[in-house]
Structure formats: C-alpha cells, structure tokens
C-alpha cells in the first residue's frame, strides 16, 4: 500500500505485514491523490506543484512527471487507456493518454472534484462536492448525473458505491439507485480483492469475500 506524506513531499510503500515503510519515493509538493495504474505503478497528484508524478513501483522511483497542470490537481484515477486528473480551480477533470504531457480532453465540473474512479468503455465516475457524474473521456460528454455529496466512491463490478457526511448509497452505471445498496452510516469506502470495505464510526464493515491479490 502506498501513502503520500503532504509535508515531506514523498510517497511511501507500506509493508502490510509489518506496517513499516518498505520504500520511499520523492514526489511533488503536497501529494494529495494516488491512483493505481493498470499497467503497474501509480500516479500521484501534487496539489502545490501543479504536477502529477508517475511512479514506477518496481524501480521505486518517479519515471515521468506531468507538469504545468495548474488549477491545484488533487485527485487522480486511471483505466487501461487514460489517466484522469481532477483539478479544483476552476473545477474540472483532465484526461491524459499514455505518454502525453498535455490533456487530450478537459471536462468542466459544477464544483470541485473529490474522487474519481474508472468504469468500462472510456467512462469515469467523478464525485464532486454536490453531485456524482459519469463522464466520457473521449467525447467529454457528461453522460449521467445524480445529486449526492460524496467524500469517497468505489466501484465493484458494475455498481458504484458512494459515501459522505455519514450517508451512503449505491448506484448503477447510469447513476440510478441500486438495490440492495449500502446503508448509512459510512465515512469512507474502498473496493479491493472483490470486496467492499466501509468505514463507519468505530467500525469497518466488509461486504463480499475478500481475495488477496
């Protein structure tokens, strides 16, 4: 598991057996969003450097740097063909193709993005401060939207789970409510190993059977 340290401008690999740092990689100022890349490695949004660091996990170093992104990049998400970077001012999500240093598409958002997850077919679900949106990375079209204030989202199969301010809900890929869905309270959620982990006050609930990779 990788952890970004805001004040030290580094990213640390944490050994989950010992919970001790196994490697540390220098990145930009205030790393605030980490996305696993399908081909291996990670993308790190550096909010105060206006950049994104591409980290080679095997080499334990930054292999590329996307600079001049501006607008306070804060979060990132990735699928097999594109990297999505959420920026706060003005609110937007910017899509990069592999090897590109300039975005191929920028989609304006109604408010600041707080989370991004990849769906299939060049689509991404973006959580803003007031809405969930499904955005097409190639056309730049907002395909679907729903009113929900989320602080974290997770995708498991074809279901989108969202949590924020103690509330929780589940949606299909057109952002229609999905049943059975999550029930509150929930502070944060994460999908891993085929299971959904839901953090609530004083407890973590696990939905599904976790399979370590």
């Amino acid at each position: 598991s990788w952890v970004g340290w805001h004040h030290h401008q580094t990213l640390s690999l944490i050994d989950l057996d010992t919970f001790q740092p196994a490697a540390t990689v220098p990145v930009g100022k205030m790393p605030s969003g980490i996305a696993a890349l399908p081909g291996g490695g990670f993308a790190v949004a550096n909010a105060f450097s206006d950049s994104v660091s591409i980290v080679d996990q095997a080499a334990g170093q930054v292999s590329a740097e996307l600079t001049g992104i501006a607008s306070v990049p804060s979060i990132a998400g990735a699928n097999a063909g594109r990297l999505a970077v959420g920026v706060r001012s003005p609110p937007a999500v910017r899509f990069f193709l592999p090897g590109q240093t300039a975005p191929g598409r920028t989609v304006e958002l109604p408010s600041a993005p707080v989370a991004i997850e990849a769906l299939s077919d060049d689509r991404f679900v973006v959580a803003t401060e007031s809405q969930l949106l499904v955005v097409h990375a190639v056309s730049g079209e907002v395909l679907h939207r729903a009113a929900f204030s989320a602080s974290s989202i997770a995708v498991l199969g074809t279901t989108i789970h969202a949590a924020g301010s103690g509330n929780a809900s589940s949606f299909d890929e057109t952002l229609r409510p999905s049943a059975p869905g999550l029930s509150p309270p929930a502070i944060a959620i994460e999908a891993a190993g085929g299971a959904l982990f839901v953090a609530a006050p004083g407890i973590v609930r696990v939905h599904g059977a976790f399979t370590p990779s």
Side-chain angles (χ1 to χ4, degrees):
S1 178
W2 286 91
V3 177
W5 304 103
H6 290 185
H7 300 294
H8 297 286
Q9 301 176 37
T10 59
L11 187 73
S12 291
L13 174 63
I14 305 299
D15 186 321
L16 295 181
D17 290 326
T18 64
F19 291 99
Q20 296 298 314
T24 298
V25 179
V27 290
K29 297 178 181 177
M30 198 172 182
S32 54
I34 304 172
L37 302 176
F42 293 83
V44 185
N46 305 306
F48 288 175
S49 294
D50 291 341
S51 68
V52 173
S53 300
I54 306 301
V55 177
D56 184 323
Q57 181 172 345
Q61 63 185 22
V62 172
S63 61
E65 194 89 17
L66 306 180
T67 59
I69 292 176
S71 304
V72 192
S74 57
I75 54 171
N79 65 10
R82 282 173 175 79
L83 172 66
V85 179
V87 298
R88 299 186 63 83
S89 180
V93 58
R94 298 179 178 178
F95 295 100
F96 295 81
L97 288 168
Q100 284 189 335
T101 57
R105 176 73 65 181
T106 296
V107 179
E108 296 181 357
L109 300 174
S111 55
V114 295
I116 300 175
E117 291 287 342
L119 301 173
S120 61
D121 301 325
D122 291 317
R123 297 170 303 152
F124 286 77
V125 57
V126 182
T128 74
E129 295 171 343
S130 58
Q131 295 182 355
L132 296 175
L133 303 100
V134 173
V135 176
H136 198 279
V138 178
S139 69
E141 183 182 0
V142 176
L143 301 174
H144 311 284
R145 65 179 72 217
F148 190 89
S149 179
S151 57
S152 66
I153 54 177
V155 176
L156 194 61
T158 58
T159 303
I160 299 164
H161 303 281
S165 302
N167 295 319
S169 192
S170 300
F171 304 86
D172 66 17
E173 291 186 342
T174 66
L175 295 181
R176 293 188 178 93
S178 177
L182 288 182
S183 57
I187 300 172
I189 54 176
E190 183 68 38
L196 187 71
F197 296 81
V198 181
I203 191 173
V204 173
R205 303 193 304 269
V206 180
H207 298 256
F210 174 65
T211 303
S213 59

